[in-house]
Every structure is written in structure tokens, then in C-alpha cells.
Amino acid sequence: MSKIIDGKAVSASVKEAIRTELEELKATKGLTAGLAVIIVGDDPASKVYVRNKKLACEACGFESFEYALSAETTQEELLDLINKLNNDDRVDGILCQLPLPKHLDEKVVINNISPAKDVDAFHPENVGQIMIGDYKFLPCTPAGVMELIASTGVEIAGKECVVVGRSNIVGKPMAMLLLHKSGTVTICHSKTKDLAEVCRRADILVAAVGVPNLIKGDMIKEGAVVIDVGMNRLDNGKLCGDVEFETASEKASYITPVPGGVGPMTIAMLMKNTLTAAKSKLKD
């Protein structure tokens, strides 16, 4: 039976370390940190995420600036707000909650956030820096996954790592971070032939495709570390991941639950990026 990787406990530890560091820098150098979160429209899931980010800011000692805009907000209005926040010294990080209403261009919005305040690490400049391994920010979910793997004590170097999913937000950067740690990385997607066979090779398996219970226990190598990034709601209202937990936990050495695994880490790493952005003021 596998050991559960407790994302809530690991994230609490990360946030406590951030709070301690910020308190020290505030006392010695007068440093403050602020995160601005923009939400457009009234998507219920987005509202939950925004509320959780506000609570995390409080836990870390950050200022929190929330901008709740109507679903009818124009592209010009949104870009004007982003420009103001880019030039606001109180704001170290800017996050625009996705998805946006369909009449707004997410790519244009992301590209208008200053790379120095892009704490989601979605701006092309930051993506490029992640690719070459010379980065200031890491995308929050993949960075959280790396923290969870580190918490197990399992060495990544030399391991077979399989990432199921190729999104720009999780799959692709996840593969790069594992590669930077000298893992041998395979990325799987909808065109992958014999997904089960590829997954069975994995010493470290990261599922991030958004398909409920896609990864079954018989697709997992004995003793593998299994990280489930999926967050899916079933018809009965229950949450589940991309991994069938009951069967997978019989094979894995370590496994994340859903909920309570990767989710809390995403917000913790957002806080870490915000502190990194704030600390850059000390070098100016």
C-alpha cells in the first residue's frame, strides 16, 4: 500500500517559510509584498480560487488586491487595468484568473502583464527562460509537483518520468522541470500509442490530462511515485483525479490524493513567486 503525499501539509510548510522570510525582510529592509488578482465574470470555480488566494496572502503576510470585473468588461478596459498594475509599486505580482469570457483574448492579456510581475509564469519571456533553465518564476502547478516529489525523498535524476498531458500550463513545463533535474522524460497525449505500456515504464508518473480515472492500477509500475494533477467533478458531484486512486494506491510507493494533493501546492507556489518578485525590489 502506498504512502499518501499530503499536499496540505507540504503547502502549509512552504507558506510558513514564506511568512518567516518576509517578516525578516520587512524588519531588516522594510520589504512588503503584494499580489493583485483579477477576475472577470462570475465563474463559480474561479471565485473559489480567488478566495483561496486571498486567504493564502493573509497567511503569508502579503497585501492582497482583488479586482472583480463584470463579464461585459472590454479588452481595452482589462488592458488598462493591467497597465496600471504594472506601474503600481505596491503590486509585485499580477494574476488574471483564467478562463476569461470568450470575447477577451487570453493571449493578449497574458502578454500585457509585465514579465517581472507574471507570477503565473505564462508570459512568453518567462516560458522561454524556463526552457533554458535560467528562470525567475516557475509555473505554479508544475513547481508544486516538484515540491511534492522532493518531499518523498525520491531522487529524480536517472529516473523514467512520464507526463500524461501536454498543456502549456502543466504538461510541457512539467516535462522541462523534470528534465532539469536529469529525469528521462516522456510526454504522452491523445495520439500516444499504447498509453498503458508507456505509463508502466514510469518511476515517476504525473497525470495532468483532465480525464477522470484515466490511469488505472494496472498501468502503474510497482513502486512508482504517482502525482495526480487532475481535478474532475463526477456526475454524482464528487471530485476525482486522472488516476483511479483505489487501484493505483496498491501499486505506487507514493501517491497524491484528490483533493488535498497538488491543489494546495499550486497556491503555495504562487505565494513563493510573489515573494521572489517582491525581493527583486531589493536589487533595484
Side-chain angles (χ1 to χ4, degrees):
M1 197 68 179
S2 57
K3 295 179 181 177
I4 304 297
I5 306 173
D6 188 343
K8 291 180 180 178
V10 178
S11 69
S13 176
V14 169
K15 287 185 285 188
E16 182 56 34
I18 291 168
R19 170 181 271 282
T20 300
E21 185 175 357
L22 181 60
E23 285 178 349
E24 184 179 328
L25 289 170
K26 191 172 185 178
T28 58
K29 301 188 177 181
L31 185 71
T32 60
L35 174 66
V37 177
I38 304 168
I39 181 170
V40 185
D42 53 5
D43 178 72
S46 291
K47 284 186 173 181
V48 171
Y49 293 141
V50 169
R51 185 172 70 246
N52 289 340
K53 286 163 187 170
K54 186 174 183 179
L55 292 171
C57 283
E58 291 173 4
C60 294
F62 296 171
E63 278 193 90
S64 178
F65 306 95
E66 185 179 327
Y67 298 87
L69 309 181
S70 76
E72 289 73 40
T73 297
T74 66
Q75 184 100 344
E76 184 179 5
E77 289 169 336
L78 180 53
L79 295 181
D80 282 346
L81 173 58
I82 289 171
N83 184 54
K84 288 176 185 175
L85 296 175
N86 282 338
N87 294 291
D88 188 337
D89 290 338
R90 300 173 303 159
V91 174
D92 300 294
I94 302 169
L95 183 148
C96 190
Q97 187 67 46
L98 304 179
L100 292 170
K102 290 183 179 179
H103 69 281
L104 299 174
D105 189 326
E106 290 184 0
K107 184 177 178 181
V108 171
V109 170
I110 289 167
N111 288 357
N112 273 270
I113 294 173
S114 166
K117 297 189 178 186
D118 169 40
V119 287
D120 260 334
F122 289 166
H123 191 285
E125 182 176 315
N126 287 326
V127 173
Q129 289 178 325
I130 293 161
M131 176 67 74
I132 63 175
D134 181 22
Y135 44 79
K136 179 177 180 181
F137 303 126
L138 287 176
C140 300
T141 298
V145 169
M146 296 299 284
E147 289 279 349
L148 292 176
I149 296 172
S151 76
T152 69
V154 172
E155 180 71 33
I156 295 173
K159 295 291 195 307
E160 288 275 354
C161 305
V162 172
V163 179
V164 185
R166 56 176 167 179
S167 71
N168 291 332
I169 294 174
V170 181
K172 291 177 186 175
M174 187 74 253
M176 291 309 306
L177 297 192
L178 290 165
L179 190 60
H180 290 326
K181 290 291 184 181
S182 299
T184 300
V185 184
T186 301
I187 304 176
C188 297
H189 44 76
S190 59
K191 299 292 190 290
T192 298
K193 294 180 180 179
D194 201 349
L195 175 64
E197 186 57 36
V198 178
C199 289
R200 286 189 203 104
R201 298 203 304 260
D203 300 305
I204 298 171
L205 176 65
V206 181
V209 72
V211 178
N213 297 318
L214 174 69
I215 308 297
K216 314 293 186 186
D218 62 4
M219 298 168 66
I220 293 169
K221 181 180 181 178
E222 192 75 42
V225 176
V226 178
I227 308 291
D228 191 350
V229 181
M231 180 70 78
N232 311 293
R233 193 170 293 279
L234 300 175
D235 292 339
N236 61 10
K238 289 186 177 181
L239 290 173
C240 77
D242 293 349
V243 176
E244 189 176 75
F245 185 86
E246 290 75 14
T247 57
S249 60
E250 294 174 2
K251 298 285 286 294
S253 59
Y254 293 92
I255 190 169
T256 57
V258 176
V262 175
M265 292 304 302
T266 298
I267 293 179
M269 303 319 288
L270 172 66
M271 299 298 109
K272 191 170 184 177
N273 282 346
T274 302
L275 179 60
T276 298
K279 284 161 63 177
S280 69
K281 293 186 293 193
L282 299 174
K283 302 169 187 173
D284 294 343

